[in-house]
Amino acid sequence: MNFWEYVDNRHQQLLTDAYQHASVVFQCMVVATALGVLIGVATYRSEWAGSLATTTTATTLTIPALALIGLLVPVVGLGVPPTVIALTLYGLLPVVRNAIVGLRGVDPSLVDAATGIGMSGTARLLRIELPLAWPPILTGIRVATQMLMGIAAIAAYASGPGLGNVIFRGLASLGSANALNQVLAGTLGIIVLALLFDAAYVLIGRLTIPRGIRA
């Protein structure tokens, strides 16, 4: 059968795999964003602490995804746990780096003015610094999400959820009638999801970033 016939016959399973893929990436990005911003807030005032945070999270990216997932399997087992841990670790660097850059880029005179009118450190952070640092943080989230879309496919190696299972089934049956259709369906599905997520982030940016400070 041709590609479109394959998609039509398997659309229910493909939609299920796509939902699982999007769900695991979204949930891992929520965790990675929360951790990344917290790390950024804790380290941006110190040059060495910021460098340490960036270097430490960057080290994760030097580990091949397949190797990291393989190392996690004996510790946490197959399925969702190694997938979630690996994706969260890979998603940290862009968020941490952009949080630090964004917070350090806030105009010091604004912080001084907030201090002068009696704002506490927490109030300055929540009402002045983080809102002004939000554009680069959102950019980091967008970059991390695009990375995780592809990395999540590799999680199928450890019985993880998502469209990677379709791709791996196709690769395992190369030469069969539907092998190419499976690889193509999984790959195109991931591309479509990545574009949809990015469009959502563009909309979030337009809704949450004042026109005056948009890049």
Side-chain angles (χ1 to χ4, degrees):
M1 67 178 73
N2 64 37
F3 175 71
W4 297 113
E5 289 175 340
Y6 171 82
V7 171
D8 185 55
N9 290 339
R10 306 286 201 285
H11 71 276
Q12 194 63 50
Q13 183 59 51
L14 290 172
L15 286 174
T16 299
D17 288 334
Y19 171 77
Q20 292 176 346
H21 198 100
S23 178
V24 73
V25 169
F26 174 76
Q27 293 177 60
C28 291
M29 274 311 309
V30 170
V31 177
T33 298
L35 290 176
V37 171
L38 285 174
I39 293 171
V41 167
T43 61
Y44 81 99
R45 289 187 176 89
S46 168
E47 191 66 38
W48 73 265
S51 297
L52 178 62
T54 303
T55 302
T56 302
T57 53
T59 301
T60 304
L61 293 183
T62 66
I63 307 173
L66 196 59
L68 179 58
I69 292 172
L71 290 171
L72 289 170
V73 167
V75 180
V76 297
L78 294 169
V80 174
T83 302
V84 170
I85 294 171
L87 294 186
T88 301
L89 290 175
Y90 281 121
L92 280 176
L93 173 61
V95 180
V96 170
R97 181 179 58 200
N98 281 39
I100 292 173
V101 169
L103 288 166
R104 287 178 176 173
V106 174
D107 189 343
S109 63
L110 295 176
V111 179
D112 291 341
T115 303
I117 62 173
M119 273 193 182
S120 66
T122 301
R124 290 197 305 271
L125 178 67
L126 295 178
R127 298 177 62 181
I128 305 294
E129 294 175 282
L130 279 176
L132 290 176
W134 173 238
I137 292 173
L138 182 59
T139 298
I141 295 171
R142 289 177 66 181
V143 171
T145 302
Q146 300 305 304
M147 286 170 39
L148 297 198
M149 277 293 170
I151 295 172
I154 300 173
Y157 169 77
S159 301
L163 289 165
N165 291 292
V166 182
I167 297 173
F168 271 78
R169 283 197 296 268
L171 293 174
S173 59
L174 285 177
S176 66
N178 285 320
L180 182 59
N181 289 334
Q182 288 176 307
V183 175
L184 188 58
T187 303
L188 290 178
I190 291 171
I191 292 172
V192 170
L193 287 178
L195 292 174
L196 290 174
F197 266 78
D198 204 56
Y201 286 134
V202 171
L203 178 60
I204 290 171
R206 290 191 175 278
L207 293 174
T208 60
I209 301 173
R211 187 184 300 271
I213 62 173
R214 285 180 195 164

